[in-house]
Amino acid sequence: MLRDPVDRLYSEYSLTSDHSTVSVGEFHDKVERFIRSFEECLVKRTARSCTYDADPDIHVRLRLGLYSVYLFEMARLYSIDHFGVIEVSEWKELCTDILPQIYDFLEVEALSDDDITKACNR
């Protein structure tokens, strides 16, 4: 399940940062520093290399939102038909349509319509 990378990053900051020590301005500066560092890296190296070797001193987990790098990495190891990608925004709106598709994809017994509705309304 993939989430908008910007929303994911800001949500993580909001939920995990000690705002008494990391201000919004400092967070913004760290994000900009990561982006500059990443762009400089891309001049010399691949996106994969830059993602896995990102500067740990920046303390911003921006690289977790670089989904394409991780998906390509997994696709090198596994057949693409082993993947089911869902966006969080779609899940929230279309859960009752998507959940049966997930059960089908996983080749497990589907829930009843009532159970799917209950699960999606939690």
Side-chain angles (χ1 to χ4, degrees):
M1 190 171 294
L2 304 180
R3 183 173 182 193
D4 178 288
V6 174
D7 290 344
R8 191 212 60 76
L9 181 64
Y10 186 74
S11 176
E12 179 181 19
Y13 163 75
S14 297
L15 295 172
T16 62
S17 291
D18 178 359
H19 298 290
S20 64
T21 60
V22 181
S23 70
V24 172
E26 289 172 309
F27 172 75
H28 179 77
D29 291 344
K30 288 180 179 188
V31 169
E32 285 186 332
R33 185 171 154 215
F34 177 90
I35 292 170
R36 276 194 307 276
S37 172
F38 193 79
E39 287 174 340
E40 289 169 7
C41 182
L42 288 175
V43 172
K44 301 173 189 167
R45 298 164 51 195
T46 66
R48 179 184 183 275
S49 174
C50 294
T51 299
Y52 285 106
D53 293 337
D55 185 350
D57 294 330
I58 297 176
H59 302 293
V60 175
R61 294 172 13 126
L62 193 78
R63 64 183 170 182
L64 295 180
L66 300 173
Y67 302 131
S68 63
V69 173
Y70 300 112
L71 288 172
F72 279 117
E73 183 76 11
M74 288 186 287
R76 288 177 359 141
L77 301 171
Y78 306 101
S79 171
I80 198 71
D81 60 332
H82 289 97
F83 292 89
V85 177
I86 303 163
E87 292 182 37
V88 170
S89 59
E90 291 177 349
W91 174 257
K92 290 177 182 177
E93 295 175 21
L94 303 170
C95 179
T96 55
D97 295 329
I98 294 173
L99 191 54
Q101 294 172 11
I102 293 171
Y103 277 86
D104 186 53
F105 177 78
L106 295 173
E107 298 178 354
V108 296
E109 187 177 339
L111 296 174
S112 69
D113 289 344
D114 286 343
D115 287 339
I116 287 172
T117 301
K118 287 177 190 174
C120 289
N121 288 330
R122 289 185 181 175

